[in-house]
PDB file of all heavy atoms in Angstrom:
ATOM      1  N   PHE A  69      -8.208  93.475 212.095  1.00  0.00           N
ATOM      2  CA  PHE A  69      -7.044  93.472 212.978  1.00  0.00           C
ATOM      3  C   PHE A  69      -7.394  92.785 214.287  1.00  0.00           C
ATOM      4  O   PHE A  69      -8.540  92.425 214.541  1.00  0.00           O
ATOM      5  CB  PHE A  69      -6.490  94.884 213.194  1.00  0.00           C
ATOM      6  CG  PHE A  69      -7.389  95.817 213.965  1.00  0.00           C
ATOM      7  CD1 PHE A  69      -7.204  96.008 215.327  1.00  0.00           C
ATOM      8  CD2 PHE A  69      -8.397  96.524 213.335  1.00  0.00           C
ATOM      9  CE1 PHE A  69      -8.016  96.880 216.047  1.00  0.00           C
ATOM     10  CE2 PHE A  69      -9.215  97.396 214.038  1.00  0.00           C
ATOM     11  CZ  PHE A  69      -9.021  97.567 215.394  1.00  0.00           C
ATOM     12  N   GLU A  70      -6.384  92.602 215.112  1.00  0.00           N
ATOM     13  CA  GLU A  70      -6.572  92.039 216.450  1.00  0.00           C
ATOM     14  C   GLU A  70      -5.742  92.846 217.439  1.00  0.00           C
ATOM     15  O   GLU A  70      -4.891  93.650 217.043  1.00  0.00           O
ATOM     16  CB  GLU A  70      -6.134  90.562 216.490  1.00  0.00           C
ATOM     17  CG  GLU A  70      -7.277  89.576 216.457  1.00  0.00           C
ATOM     18  CD  GLU A  70      -8.376  89.879 217.468  1.00  0.00           C
ATOM     19  OE1 GLU A  70      -8.073  90.252 218.611  1.00  0.00           O
ATOM     20  OE2 GLU A  70      -9.556  89.752 217.110  1.00  0.00           O
ATOM     21  N   GLY A  71      -5.982  92.619 218.705  1.00  0.00           N
ATOM     22  CA  GLY A  71      -5.188  93.277 219.739  1.00  0.00           C
ATOM     23  C   GLY A  71      -5.088  92.360 220.934  1.00  0.00           C
ATOM     24  O   GLY A  71      -6.103  91.912 221.468  1.00  0.00           O
ATOM     25  N   ASN A  90      -8.060  85.300 220.505  1.00  0.00           N
ATOM     26  CA  ASN A  90      -7.759  86.306 219.473  1.00  0.00           C
ATOM     27  C   ASN A  90      -7.572  85.660 218.097  1.00  0.00           C
ATOM     28  O   ASN A  90      -7.964  86.235 217.082  1.00  0.00           O
ATOM     29  CB  ASN A  90      -6.510  87.103 219.844  1.00  0.00           C
ATOM     30  CG  ASN A  90      -6.723  87.871 221.134  1.00  0.00           C
ATOM     31  OD1 ASN A  90      -6.431  87.363 222.212  1.00  0.00           O
ATOM     32  ND2 ASN A  90      -7.264  89.064 221.038  1.00  0.00           N
ATOM     33  N   ARG A  93     -11.075  84.994 216.897  1.00  0.00           N
ATOM     34  CA  ARG A  93     -11.813  86.214 216.520  1.00  0.00           C
ATOM     35  C   ARG A  93     -11.273  86.805 215.219  1.00  0.00           C
ATOM     36  O   ARG A  93     -12.024  87.367 214.422  1.00  0.00           O
ATOM     37  CB  ARG A  93     -11.755  87.225 217.667  1.00  0.00           C
ATOM     38  CG  ARG A  93     -12.710  88.390 217.473  1.00  0.00           C
ATOM     39  CD  ARG A  93     -12.817  89.262 218.694  1.00  0.00           C
ATOM     40  NE  ARG A  93     -11.548  89.899 219.026  1.00  0.00           N
ATOM     41  CZ  ARG A  93     -11.327  90.609 220.120  1.00  0.00           C
ATOM     42  NH1 ARG A  93     -12.297  90.768 221.018  1.00  0.00           N
ATOM     43  NH2 ARG A  93     -10.158  91.163 220.356  1.00  0.00           N
ATOM     44  N   TYR A 134       2.248  95.108 223.311  1.00  0.00           N
ATOM     45  CA  TYR A 134       0.999  95.030 222.543  1.00  0.00           C
ATOM     46  C   TYR A 134       1.262  94.265 221.242  1.00  0.00           C
ATOM     47  O   TYR A 134       2.287  94.480 220.579  1.00  0.00           O
ATOM     48  CB  TYR A 134       0.481  96.429 222.240  1.00  0.00           C
ATOM     49  CG  TYR A 134      -0.919  96.421 221.659  1.00  0.00           C
ATOM     50  CD1 TYR A 134      -2.008  96.078 222.448  1.00  0.00           C
ATOM     51  CD2 TYR A 134      -1.144  96.741 220.335  1.00  0.00           C
ATOM     52  CE1 TYR A 134      -3.293  96.051 221.924  1.00  0.00           C
ATOM     53  CE2 TYR A 134      -2.431  96.722 219.798  1.00  0.00           C
ATOM     54  CZ  TYR A 134      -3.491  96.381 220.607  1.00  0.00           C
ATOM     55  OH  TYR A 134      -4.765  96.348 220.081  1.00  0.00           O
ATOM     56  N   ARG A 184     -22.237 103.946 215.752  1.00  0.00           N
ATOM     57  CA  ARG A 184     -20.997 103.275 215.349  1.00  0.00           C
ATOM     58  C   ARG A 184     -21.246 102.062 214.464  1.00  0.00           C
ATOM     59  O   ARG A 184     -20.521 101.820 213.512  1.00  0.00           O
ATOM     60  CB  ARG A 184     -20.242 102.864 216.616  1.00  0.00           C
ATOM     61  CG  ARG A 184     -19.011 102.024 216.386  1.00  0.00           C
ATOM     62  CD  ARG A 184     -18.435 101.582 217.714  1.00  0.00           C
ATOM     63  NE  ARG A 184     -17.263 100.754 217.521  1.00  0.00           N
ATOM     64  CZ  ARG A 184     -17.299  99.451 217.324  1.00  0.00           C
ATOM     65  NH1 ARG A 184     -18.450  98.813 217.260  1.00  0.00           N
ATOM     66  NH2 ARG A 184     -16.183  98.773 217.177  1.00  0.00           N
ATOM     67  N   GLY A 191     -20.220  95.547 213.160  1.00  0.00           N
ATOM     68  CA  GLY A 191     -19.858  95.914 214.540  1.00  0.00           C
ATOM     69  C   GLY A 191     -19.178  94.822 215.329  1.00  0.00           C
ATOM     70  O   GLY A 191     -18.328  95.091 216.168  1.00  0.00           O
ATOM     71  N   LYS A 194     -13.693  92.868 214.049  1.00  0.00           N
ATOM     72  CA  LYS A 194     -12.674  93.866 214.401  1.00  0.00           C
ATOM     73  C   LYS A 194     -12.110  94.385 213.082  1.00  0.00           C
ATOM     74  O   LYS A 194     -11.138  93.859 212.552  1.00  0.00           O
ATOM     75  CB  LYS A 194     -11.611  93.231 215.299  1.00  0.00           C
ATOM     76  CG  LYS A 194     -10.985  94.234 216.250  1.00  0.00           C
ATOM     77  CD  LYS A 194     -10.372  93.556 217.446  1.00  0.00           C
ATOM     78  CE  LYS A 194      -9.447  94.461 218.217  1.00  0.00           C
ATOM     79  NZ  LYS A 194     -10.038  95.674 218.748  1.00  0.00           N
ATOM     80  N   TYR A 199     -14.044 101.716 213.432  1.00  0.00           N
ATOM     81  CA  TYR A 199     -13.302 102.739 214.178  1.00  0.00           C
ATOM     82  C   TYR A 199     -13.348 104.046 213.406  1.00  0.00           C
ATOM     83  O   TYR A 199     -13.495 105.120 214.002  1.00  0.00           O
ATOM     84  CB  TYR A 199     -11.870 102.247 214.443  1.00  0.00           C
ATOM     85  CG  TYR A 199     -11.898 100.993 215.313  1.00  0.00           C
ATOM     86  CD1 TYR A 199     -12.157  99.743 214.773  1.00  0.00           C
ATOM     87  CD2 TYR A 199     -11.737 101.087 216.698  1.00  0.00           C
ATOM     88  CE1 TYR A 199     -12.256  98.608 215.556  1.00  0.00           C
ATOM     89  CE2 TYR A 199     -11.821  99.956 217.490  1.00  0.00           C
ATOM     90  CZ  TYR A 199     -12.085  98.715 216.918  1.00  0.00           C
ATOM     91  OH  TYR A 199     -12.183  97.602 217.716  1.00  0.00           O
ATOM     92  N   GLU A 230     -21.269  99.750 223.557  1.00  0.00           N
ATOM     93  CA  GLU A 230     -19.897  99.630 224.067  1.00  0.00           C
ATOM     94  C   GLU A 230     -19.210 100.982 223.908  1.00  0.00           C
ATOM     95  O   GLU A 230     -19.753 101.906 223.307  1.00  0.00           O
ATOM     96  CB  GLU A 230     -19.127  98.546 223.323  1.00  0.00           C
ATOM     97  CG  GLU A 230     -18.965  98.821 221.843  1.00  0.00           C
ATOM     98  CD  GLU A 230     -18.229  97.712 221.110  1.00  0.00           C
ATOM     99  OE1 GLU A 230     -17.371  97.055 221.707  1.00  0.00           O
ATOM    100  OE2 GLU A 230     -18.505  97.542 219.902  1.00  0.00           O
ATOM    101  N   VAL A 231     -18.002 101.071 224.443  1.00  0.00           N
ATOM    102  CA  VAL A 231     -17.229 102.309 224.373  1.00  0.00           C
ATOM    103  C   VAL A 231     -16.220 102.148 223.223  1.00  0.00           C
ATOM    104  O   VAL A 231     -15.933 101.031 222.793  1.00  0.00           O
ATOM    105  CB  VAL A 231     -16.545 102.574 225.735  1.00  0.00           C
ATOM    106  CG1 VAL A 231     -15.749 103.865 225.726  1.00  0.00           C
ATOM    107  CG2 VAL A 231     -17.612 102.638 226.823  1.00  0.00           C
ATOM    108  N   GLY A 232     -15.652 103.252 222.741  1.00  0.00           N
ATOM    109  CA  GLY A 232     -14.794 103.241 221.562  1.00  0.00           C
ATOM    110  C   GLY A 232     -13.772 102.129 221.510  1.00  0.00           C
ATOM    111  O   GLY A 232     -13.576 101.509 220.473  1.00  0.00           O
ATOM    112  N   ALA A 233     -13.109 101.847 222.632  1.00  0.00           N
ATOM    113  CA  ALA A 233     -12.043 100.846 222.602  1.00  0.00           C
ATOM    114  C   ALA A 233     -12.209  99.814 223.708  1.00  0.00           C
ATOM    115  O   ALA A 233     -11.233  99.192 224.126  1.00  0.00           O
ATOM    116  CB  ALA A 233     -10.686 101.542 222.721  1.00  0.00           C
ATOM    117  N   MET A 234     -13.433  99.655 224.198  1.00  0.00           N
ATOM    118  CA  MET A 234     -13.635  98.679 225.288  1.00  0.00           C
ATOM    119  C   MET A 234     -15.122  98.370 225.460  1.00  0.00           C
ATOM    120  O   MET A 234     -15.980  99.152 225.068  1.00  0.00           O
ATOM    121  CB  MET A 234     -13.043  99.218 226.595  1.00  0.00           C
ATOM    122  CG  MET A 234     -13.567 100.571 227.011  1.00  0.00           C
ATOM    123  SD  MET A 234     -12.578 101.286 228.339  1.00  0.00           S
ATOM    124  CE  MET A 234     -13.614 102.675 228.793  1.00  0.00           C
ATOM    125  N   ASN A 235     -15.405  97.236 226.063  1.00  0.00           N
ATOM    126  CA  ASN A 235     -16.766  96.909 226.490  1.00  0.00           C
ATOM    127  C   ASN A 235     -17.036  97.614 227.822  1.00  0.00           C
ATOM    128  O   ASN A 235     -16.119  98.156 228.431  1.00  0.00           O
ATOM    129  CB  ASN A 235     -16.915  95.386 226.624  1.00  0.00           C
ATOM    130  CG  ASN A 235     -16.770  94.668 225.289  1.00  0.00           C
ATOM    131  OD1 ASN A 235     -15.830  93.922 225.072  1.00  0.00           O
ATOM    132  ND2 ASN A 235     -17.705  94.893 224.390  1.00  0.00           N
ATOM    133  N   ILE A 254     -21.767  94.552 218.702  1.00  0.00           N
ATOM    134  CA  ILE A 254     -20.764  94.838 219.738  1.00  0.00           C
ATOM    135  C   ILE A 254     -19.586  93.894 219.535  1.00  0.00           C
ATOM    136  O   ILE A 254     -19.783  92.729 219.198  1.00  0.00           O
ATOM    137  CB  ILE A 254     -21.352  94.571 221.147  1.00  0.00           C
ATOM    138  CG1 ILE A 254     -22.559  95.466 221.402  1.00  0.00           C
ATOM    139  CG2 ILE A 254     -20.309  94.743 222.230  1.00  0.00           C
ATOM    140  CD1 ILE A 254     -23.238  95.172 222.729  1.00  0.00           C
ATOM    141  N   LEU A 255     -18.393  94.368 219.805  1.00  0.00           N
ATOM    142  CA  LEU A 255     -17.246  93.460 219.725  1.00  0.00           C
ATOM    143  C   LEU A 255     -17.287  92.484 220.912  1.00  0.00           C
ATOM    144  O   LEU A 255     -17.387  92.917 222.067  1.00  0.00           O
ATOM    145  CB  LEU A 255     -15.926  94.243 219.757  1.00  0.00           C
ATOM    146  CG  LEU A 255     -14.727  93.362 219.413  1.00  0.00           C
ATOM    147  CD1 LEU A 255     -14.625  93.137 217.908  1.00  0.00           C
ATOM    148  CD2 LEU A 255     -13.425  93.964 219.927  1.00  0.00           C
ATOM    149  N   PRO A 256     -17.217  91.175 220.644  1.00  0.00           N
ATOM    150  CA  PRO A 256     -17.180  90.214 221.761  1.00  0.00           C
ATOM    151  C   PRO A 256     -15.779  90.210 222.383  1.00  0.00           C
ATOM    152  O   PRO A 256     -14.896  89.483 221.951  1.00  0.00           O
ATOM    153  CB  PRO A 256     -17.526  88.875 221.098  1.00  0.00           C
ATOM    154  CG  PRO A 256     -17.226  89.043 219.649  1.00  0.00           C
ATOM    155  CD  PRO A 256     -17.203  90.519 219.328  1.00  0.00           C
ATOM    156  N   GLY A 257     -15.585  91.026 223.398  1.00  0.00           N
ATOM    157  CA  GLY A 257     -14.254  91.249 223.962  1.00  0.00           C
ATOM    158  C   GLY A 257     -13.740  90.049 224.746  1.00  0.00           C
ATOM    159  O   GLY A 257     -14.502  89.383 225.468  1.00  0.00           O
ATOM    160  N   VAL A 258     -12.459  89.806 224.631  1.00  0.00           N
ATOM    161  CA  VAL A 258     -11.819  88.737 225.413  1.00  0.00           C
ATOM    162  C   VAL A 258     -11.790  89.150 226.885  1.00  0.00           C
ATOM    163  O   VAL A 258     -12.000  88.333 227.786  1.00  0.00           O
ATOM    164  CB  VAL A 258     -10.386  88.479 224.886  1.00  0.00           C
ATOM    165  CG1 VAL A 258      -9.703  87.386 225.701  1.00  0.00           C
ATOM    166  CG2 VAL A 258     -10.412  88.107 223.406  1.00  0.00           C
ATOM    167  N   THR A 259     -11.562  90.425 227.140  1.00  0.00           N
ATOM    168  CA  THR A 259     -11.537  90.899 228.531  1.00  0.00           C
ATOM    169  C   THR A 259     -12.943  90.819 229.130  1.00  0.00           C
ATOM    170  O   THR A 259     -13.111  90.407 230.278  1.00  0.00           O
ATOM    171  CB  THR A 259     -11.011  92.348 228.588  1.00  0.00           C
ATOM    172  OG1 THR A 259      -9.945  92.488 227.658  1.00  0.00           O
ATOM    173  CG2 THR A 259     -10.524  92.701 229.979  1.00  0.00           C
ATOM    174  N   ARG A 260     -13.948  91.191 228.341  1.00  0.00           N
ATOM    175  CA  ARG A 260     -15.348  91.091 228.792  1.00  0.00           C
ATOM    176  C   ARG A 260     -15.662  89.662 229.215  1.00  0.00           C
ATOM    177  O   ARG A 260     -16.214  89.413 230.285  1.00  0.00           O
ATOM    178  CB  ARG A 260     -16.257  91.534 227.633  1.00  0.00           C
ATOM    179  CG  ARG A 260     -17.741  91.346 227.857  1.00  0.00           C
ATOM    180  CD  ARG A 260     -18.486  91.660 226.562  1.00  0.00           C
ATOM    181  NE  ARG A 260     -19.930  91.522 226.711  1.00  0.00           N
ATOM    182  CZ  ARG A 260     -20.577  90.359 226.652  1.00  0.00           C
ATOM    183  NH1 ARG A 260     -19.900  89.233 226.460  1.00  0.00           N
ATOM    184  NH2 ARG A 260     -21.897  90.322 226.787  1.00  0.00           N
ATOM    185  N   CYS A 299     -13.789  97.571 229.905  1.00  0.00           N
ATOM    186  CA  CYS A 299     -12.794  96.494 229.933  1.00  0.00           C
ATOM    187  C   CYS A 299     -12.356  96.158 228.516  1.00  0.00           C
ATOM    188  O   CYS A 299     -13.173  96.064 227.606  1.00  0.00           O
ATOM    189  CB  CYS A 299     -13.342  95.271 230.663  1.00  0.00           C
ATOM    190  SG  CYS A 299     -14.833  94.587 229.965  1.00  0.00           S
ATOM    191  N   GLY A 300     -11.052  96.029 228.351  1.00  0.00           N
ATOM    192  CA  GLY A 300     -10.497  95.710 227.042  1.00  0.00           C
ATOM    193  C   GLY A 300      -9.012  95.448 227.186  1.00  0.00           C
ATOM    194  O   GLY A 300      -8.419  95.734 228.228  1.00  0.00           O
ATOM    195  N   THR A 301      -8.424  94.917 226.147  1.00  0.00           N
ATOM    196  CA  THR A 301      -6.997  94.598 226.200  1.00  0.00           C
ATOM    197  C   THR A 301      -6.169  95.852 226.447  1.00  0.00           C
ATOM    198  O   THR A 301      -5.341  95.907 227.361  1.00  0.00           O
ATOM    199  CB  THR A 301      -6.561  93.945 224.884  1.00  0.00           C
ATOM    200  OG1 THR A 301      -7.315  92.748 224.735  1.00  0.00           O
ATOM    201  CG2 THR A 301      -5.078  93.633 224.876  1.00  0.00           C
ATOM    202  N   ALA A 302      -6.389  96.872 225.633  1.00  0.00           N
ATOM    203  CA  ALA A 302      -5.621  98.102 225.788  1.00  0.00           C
ATOM    204  C   ALA A 302      -6.053  98.830 227.059  1.00  0.00           C
ATOM    205  O   ALA A 302      -5.223  99.328 227.826  1.00  0.00           O
ATOM    206  CB  ALA A 302      -5.816  98.995 224.571  1.00  0.00           C
TER     207      ALA A 302
HETATM  208  N1  PLP B 401     -14.831  96.979 222.012  1.00  0.00           N
HETATM  209  C1  PLP B 401     -14.042  97.611 221.119  1.00  0.00           C
HETATM  210  C2  PLP B 401     -14.685  98.516 220.138  1.00  0.00           C
HETATM  211  C3  PLP B 401     -12.659  97.403 221.119  1.00  0.00           C
HETATM  212  O1  PLP B 401     -11.873  98.013 220.235  1.00  0.00           O
HETATM  213  C4  PLP B 401     -12.107  96.535 222.082  1.00  0.00           C
HETATM  214  C5  PLP B 401     -10.670  96.273 222.085  1.00  0.00           C
HETATM  215  O2  PLP B 401     -10.203  95.359 221.525  1.00  0.00           O
HETATM  216  C6  PLP B 401     -12.956  95.894 222.982  1.00  0.00           C
HETATM  217  C7  PLP B 401     -14.321  96.139 222.925  1.00  0.00           C
HETATM  218  C8  PLP B 401     -12.425  94.933 224.002  1.00  0.00           C
HETATM  219  O3  PLP B 401     -12.025  93.730 223.410  1.00  0.00           O
HETATM  220  P1  PLP B 401     -10.846  92.862 224.027  1.00  0.00           P
HETATM  221  O4  PLP B 401     -11.169  92.675 225.454  1.00  0.00           O
HETATM  222  O5  PLP B 401     -10.865  91.599 223.260  1.00  0.00           O
HETATM  223  O6  PLP B 401      -9.594  93.642 223.850  1.00  0.00           O
END
Side-chain angles (χ1 to χ4, degrees):
F69 67 97
E70 258 311 319
N90 298 91
R93 191 171 63 187
Y134 190 70
R184 174 185 179 274
K194 210 158 165 59
Y199 297 80
E230 62 182 329
V231 181
M234 55 192 190
N235 295 114
I254 299 176
L255 191 78
V258 179
T259 321
R260 173 187 181 279
C299 59
T301 299

